[in-house]
Amino acid sequence: MSYERDEAEIEASKAPLMEHLIELRARLIKALLAFMVMFILCFVFAKQIYDVLVWPFVWVAGAENSKFIYTALLEYFITQLKVAMFGAAFLSFPVVAAQIYMFVAPGLYRNERQAFLPYLVATPIFFLLGAMVVYFLVMPMLVRFSLGMQQSPGDGMAEIALLPKVGEYLSLMMSLVLAFGVAFQLPVILTLLGKIGILTSQTLKEKRRYFIVGAFVIAAVLTPPDVLSQMSLAIPLMLLYELSIWSVKMVEAKAKPQPSQSSEAKPESSPAE
């Protein structure tokens, strides 16, 4: 009965192609408007947002030793535009994701909608976790390592000082946040594949050794070419893989059919006459 009811709901939600295109245009306009509003808001506070992004550097080096430079006339202005776009992408994502979900939801069965929604909510949460790892762990570690390579003048040696450029620092921060945010989607993706039956927890256990090698390959591709950045991504990836095994195992346990009361009850034998 529930299957027939879902079929009826989908049949009722069918619309001509033109109506779908009109709805798609409306969803895209709403998503774009949300991004533009957030972009304007972030551009107004671009300097304050950039100050927040450079906090890991200031925390390690100290405010008195923190100095950023720009060598092109419009470099800082362009950096503020990038900051505004970076912030707008973060802040407008809930609206964009909601518009995508509302567009595709009528074409899904009820159980598919219920299964899809938790993963839609989990995606930004895990992305934020990846960004927090970059902000509180990876960037301070990289700054401390970079500052340790400076050279003081004296004894015939020139001074070698770290003077980061505003644009290069932002590019490094954005690339790391994007890399870690995407990598932290691993539990979401593997759990979803396990839910639809493509993967099993046993398969993930058997492929663990291959994933360990793959984690370092992924880290080498997504992070800057230094050992610290690569290790700081590879290790969380391996931990997330273990979390994915546990999550898929939980999904499999819930998917197992529960024995009915009738099957559990044993038939009573008739008394011997």
Side-chain angles (χ1 to χ4, degrees), residues 88-104:
F90 265 102
L91 297 177
S92 63
F93 178 81
V95 177
V96 175
Q99 294 301 317
I100 295 174
Y101 177 76
M102 287 188 288
F103 179 74
V104 302

Side-chain angles (χ1 to χ4, degrees), residues 206-219:
E206 294 172 354
K207 303 300 182 181
R208 181 187 284 116
R209 66 182 69 179
Y210 302 107
F211 180 80
I212 293 175
V213 177
F216 285 94
V217 174
I218 294 172

